[in-house]
Amino acid sequence: KNEVEQSPQNLTAQEGEFITINCSYSVGISALHWLQQHPGGGIVSLFMLSSGKKKHGRLIATINIQEKHSSLHITASHPRDSAVYICAVPLLDSGGGADGLTFGKGTHLIIQP
Amino acid sequence: GAVVSQHPSWVICKSGTSVKIECRSLDFQATTMFWYRQFPKQSLMLMATSNEGSKATYEQGVEKDKFLINHASLTLSTLTVTSAHPEDSSFYICSASRGSGTRQETQYFGPGTRLLVL
């Protein structure tokens, strides 16, 4: 069973700052997910990546499979980026098809104007 | 594309009653659907995996007779909490995957259902 650790647990920053959230996991995986959860509870899938780096707007996600580590970066942060960011990996990675996920505890990000 | 809806978004019920939550993939066919729950200030936890036309696979510690899952079509899965008790109060969220079966799939999450059992 995969274990997921995220850091930091809480992060408050000023608008415009560069944000980094880290995630490490215990067992090799086929892909890692970064999710965003808003106060109402709804979850948005930001990235699914299995190697290298992905970029979407001001969000960048990287993964190092050998080190079992991933980072989520936010450039030019804005108050609307305030949310909980969650890292998730397959609970039991079958290597193909869809697998149920196990989640990190999340990083509570607050961007102050 | 890839929108998942859940209904209801909020439900309050009395202890001992049953509650049904629906999860629908609106614009794609979902071979696999997952049910998760999240207690306050805790991580999301997988409850069960549901494949269309077959019995759901439950995670350890989740009672299959209490949490009935039906995935009768490629666009609909239902979770019924039978004889709900206050300790079942939680945020229930589903996700759906197209399920190509050949590689890790993106999961599309529903907006969630908040259940409060009095």
Side-chain angles (χ1 to χ4, degrees):
Chain A
K1 181 180 171 181
N2 226 328
E3 303 284 342
V4 182
E5 295 286 336
Q6 266 186 255
S7 64
Q9 191 172 344
N10 296 285
L11 178 56
T12 300
Q14 296 297 312
E15 184 173 356
E17 284 190 41
F18 181 81
I19 303 298
T20 296
I21 300 169
N22 295 301
C23 174
S24 59
Y25 51 93
S26 58
V27 179
I29 56 170
S30 55
L32 177 144
H33 302 251
W34 280 103
L35 310 167
Q36 181 190 54
Q37 185 172 29
H38 283 280
I43 290 179
V44 174
S45 180
L46 299 175
F47 294 104
M48 183 185 71
L49 67 165
S50 54
S51 65
K53 176 179 170 178
K54 283 191 176 180
K55 186 175 188 291
H56 182 68
R58 294 180 295 106
L59 300 177
I60 303 167
T62 63
I63 189 167
N64 185 317
I65 295 293
Q66 286 73 32
E67 294 186 4
K68 298 186 180 64
H69 181 269
S70 176
S71 293
L72 177 68
H73 306 284
I74 305 175
T75 62
S77 59
H78 190 276
R80 64 175 175 267
D81 297 326
S82 299
V84 177
Y85 292 85
I86 303 169
C87 168
V89 299
L91 187 61
L92 291 169
D93 197 330
S94 66
D99 296 300
L101 301 176
T102 185
F103 301 80
K105 288 190 163 88
T107 295
H108 294 247
L109 175 66
I110 297 173
I111 303 297
Q112 295 177 335
Chain B
V3 178
V4 176
S5 70
Q6 270 184 251
H7 179 80
S9 55
W10 262 101
V11 58
I12 301 173
C13 68
K14 292 183 179 179
S15 185
T17 60
S18 293
V19 175
K20 181 187 280 189
I21 303 169
E22 292 186 350
C23 176
R24 293 181 186 271
S25 56
L26 299 184
D27 50 4
F28 67 100
Q29 293 188 324
T31 304
T32 306
M33 287 185 169
F34 302 92
W35 287 96
Y36 301 92
R37 65 181 167 185
Q38 184 178 35
F39 293 108
K41 299 191 186 301
Q42 293 190 24
S43 304
L44 285 147
M45 297 285 287
L46 178 66
M47 297 177 68
T49 301
S50 170
N51 289 295
E52 185 265 338
S54 59
K55 288 185 179 179
T57 302
Y58 291 81
E59 294 302 304
Q60 192 172 6
V62 179
E63 299 173 58
K64 62 180 181 181
D65 294 329
K66 181 171 181 63
F67 298 98
L68 302 179
I69 291 172
N70 184 285
H71 191 168
S73 79
L74 284 170
T75 59
L76 174 65
S77 177
T78 60
L79 169 68
T80 301
V81 184
T82 61
S83 186
H85 287 92
E87 59 266 28
D88 299 321
S89 298
S90 187
F91 182 63
Y92 292 86
I93 192 164
C94 71
S95 72
S97 167
R98 286 190 173 96
S100 69
T102 58
R103 60 182 174 82
Q104 186 61 244
E105 290 284 340
T106 294
Q107 292 186 28
Y108 302 97
F109 288 84
T113 297
R114 291 204 179 274
L115 170 64
L116 178 60
V117 185
L118 301 176

